[in-house]
Amino acid sequence: MYTEMLQASRMSAQQKLQLVLDQLGTYVDQHHFLQTKATANYRLWGNLAPMSKFNLLFRSYVLQYYRRSFPREKLLANNITDFARRLNLFRGYLDRQAIYYLRTTYAEQPNDFLRVLAYVSQVKGLEIDYETGANYHNRHLKGQSDFIPQNMKLQLAKKSSYNNFSRYNDARMVEFIVNLETLNFVSQWDVLRLKSTGKYLSDPTCYTKEELSAIADTESFNYGIPHGKGYVPWRYRNSHRDLDGVNPLESDLRKYAKKYWLASPDAHKVKGGHGDLVSSGGIKDIIYWKSIPDNKRLELYHGYTTWLFKNKIPATGFAKYYEEILEKK
């Protein structure tokens, strides 16, 4: 009912965004973390699914408003207001709801990855995109020479359910980061501490280095449309960079976490760079990588990234390297 009323309203895109943020009681605390007021009369519905109409509409309103209102370069970053900050940080609450929905709806599944697969199987035409780079969700300590990527990135949907001329586009909107060993989500919401007051502890100095790793690697709902290896309509080109890559609007907690945990550039651009272990091969990449003994993984990962660099090709996923190089030896 709420979603239908929001869509039918004659308010502008900005007014609709402002209404949602206000009704949910959002505000930015002293550490630039988004909190919600206990007195708010509205909460995100527990049955709000990842690919819900509400999420689609909310994304479309962000795209409509910022496409018309600001310079094309770094739209949100050029507009550091309370509204812009709350809007940017609200992506995390959409992530939290998506994770909650999957873990409660598919609680019988043994891990989060299987929960995603179960959800996808029940939504007609929905496919997972494995191909958008996961550099920023596989961070490492400075100077760490034995680092191997631990996580893969999943995005829903692989392709938009709408044609290229529609105002709606749900391509690569919802994002999950999954640990390759446990197949469970890597998320800030699993380490953030909820105080007795109902507020999240947002002081960066109160978290351990290990907890900061999950905060640095966490998922992020996309207002813009990531390229990855997928198609992006011309009017949405660079929307992901301009609307989602806005570091000035991040919480102090995530900025602090990223000082410890650093991201590497792509292996096909820089020698020794990052190569996604899971990409075009999807589940096949996962199976091949998990079949490698622990004591062989570092050597094979270095071989994979060297292969990407020498051939100047974006990450293919481990399976292609395994089949083309290792099986022929």
Side-chain angles (χ1 to χ4, degrees):
M1 178 66 76
Y2 184 93
T3 301
E4 281 67 32
M5 291 178 65
L6 186 68
Q7 184 177 24
S9 169
R10 294 186 178 183
M11 293 186 295
S12 67
Q14 182 191 13
Q15 289 172 327
K16 291 180 179 182
L17 296 170
Q18 185 84 54
L19 178 69
V20 171
L21 295 176
D22 290 346
Q23 289 184 328
L24 290 171
T26 64
Y27 69 94
V28 178
D29 70 12
Q30 70 272 30
H31 296 295
H32 300 112
F33 188 91
L34 192 70
Q35 306 278 7
T36 56
K37 298 175 183 176
T39 56
N41 294 322
Y42 291 81
R43 292 284 184 272
L44 285 175
W45 186 36
N47 288 328
L48 192 70
M51 299 302 291
S52 66
K53 186 177 181 181
F54 174 83
N55 285 350
L56 171 68
L57 286 176
F58 200 85
R59 180 196 227 188
S60 74
Y61 297 147
V62 175
L63 287 167
Q64 286 176 46
Y65 175 57
Y66 280 99
R67 213 160 32 86
R68 296 172 182 169
S69 302
F70 296 103
R72 299 210 49 87
E73 291 296 320
K74 299 180 180 178
L75 302 178
L76 270 172
N78 283 348
N79 186 239
I80 305 178
T81 63
D82 177 69
F83 169 71
R85 194 178 291 277
R86 284 195 292 152
L87 183 62
N88 178 64
L89 294 172
F90 183 64
R91 295 183 301 145
Y93 282 80
L94 296 176
D95 295 327
R96 185 187 68 170
Q97 171 54 34
I99 290 171
Y100 173 81
Y101 176 88
L102 293 178
R103 286 177 171 173
T104 53
T105 306
Y106 305 100
E108 74 282 359
Q109 297 293 342
N111 59 61
D112 291 327
F113 181 55
L114 290 179
R115 293 181 183 110
V116 176
L117 293 182
Y119 172 67
V120 169
S121 71
Q122 294 183 355
V123 180
K124 185 178 179 180
L126 184 60
E127 294 181 80
I128 299 172
D129 188 293
Y130 295 91
E131 297 182 293
T132 303
N135 310 44
Y136 298 112
H137 308 278
N138 276 289
R139 294 174 176 270
H140 54 82
L141 296 172
K142 185 176 182 180
Q144 187 176 352
S145 59
D146 61 346
F147 177 75
I148 301 172
Q150 303 295 311
N151 308 321
M152 61 177 169
K153 181 194 287 188
L154 317 179
Q155 291 184 332
L156 304 176
K158 184 172 184 177
K159 299 178 181 178
S160 179
S161 308
Y162 302 83
N163 66 51
N164 295 334
F165 300 99
S166 172
R167 71 168 61 183
Y168 303 120
N169 191 304
D170 55 6
R172 301 175 293 285
M173 177 174 69
V174 179
E175 182 173 293
F176 301 104
I177 308 304
V178 177
N179 180 274
L180 286 167
E181 290 305 309
T182 66
L183 297 181
N184 285 320
F185 294 140
V186 176
S187 174
Q188 64 176 343
W189 298 108
D190 286 336
V191 299
L192 289 171
R193 297 175 206 150
L194 193 62
K195 299 188 290 185
S196 60
T197 59
K199 309 305 176 190
Y200 284 100
L201 179 63
S202 59
D203 183 348
T205 63
C206 294
Y207 289 89
T208 67
K209 191 177 292 186
E210 288 70 29
E211 290 170 331
L212 291 173
S213 175
I215 292 168
D217 283 342
T218 196
E219 72 291 311
S220 178
F221 184 94
N222 294 306
Y223 288 150
I225 303 170
H227 283 256
K229 297 177 184 176
Y231 176 75
V232 179
W234 66 268
R235 66 184 176 280
Y236 297 132
R237 302 279 165 85
N238 300 320
S239 61
H240 178 55
R241 178 199 68 187
D242 293 341
L243 295 175
D244 302 311
V246 284
N247 296 340
L249 299 178
E250 286 186 321
S251 68
D252 295 349
L253 181 54
R254 190 143 195 271
K255 289 179 181 177
Y256 186 77
K258 286 161 60 177
K259 288 182 179 180
Y260 281 102
W261 298 95
L262 310 176
S264 293
D266 292 326
H268 73 282
K269 297 178 180 178
V270 177
K271 186 176 182 179
H274 170 87
D276 288 317
L277 292 169
V278 177
S279 185
S280 303
I283 292 177
K284 189 178 181 180
D285 287 329
I286 301 170
I287 294 171
Y288 274 51
W289 179 251
K290 288 178 76 68
S291 72
I292 304 298
D294 290 347
N295 63 347
K296 297 289 185 181
R297 289 186 174 183
L298 183 61
E299 177 187 352
L300 291 181
Y301 175 65
H302 286 167
Y304 170 54
T305 57
T306 299
W307 176 69
L308 294 175
F309 180 72
K310 285 183 176 179
N311 292 280
K312 303 300 180 187
I313 53 175
T316 60
F318 186 73
K320 185 175 179 65
Y321 171 70
Y322 189 98
E323 292 174 342
E324 291 196 3
I325 304 299
L326 299 182
E327 287 187 343
K328 293 179 181 179
K329 287 184 176 181

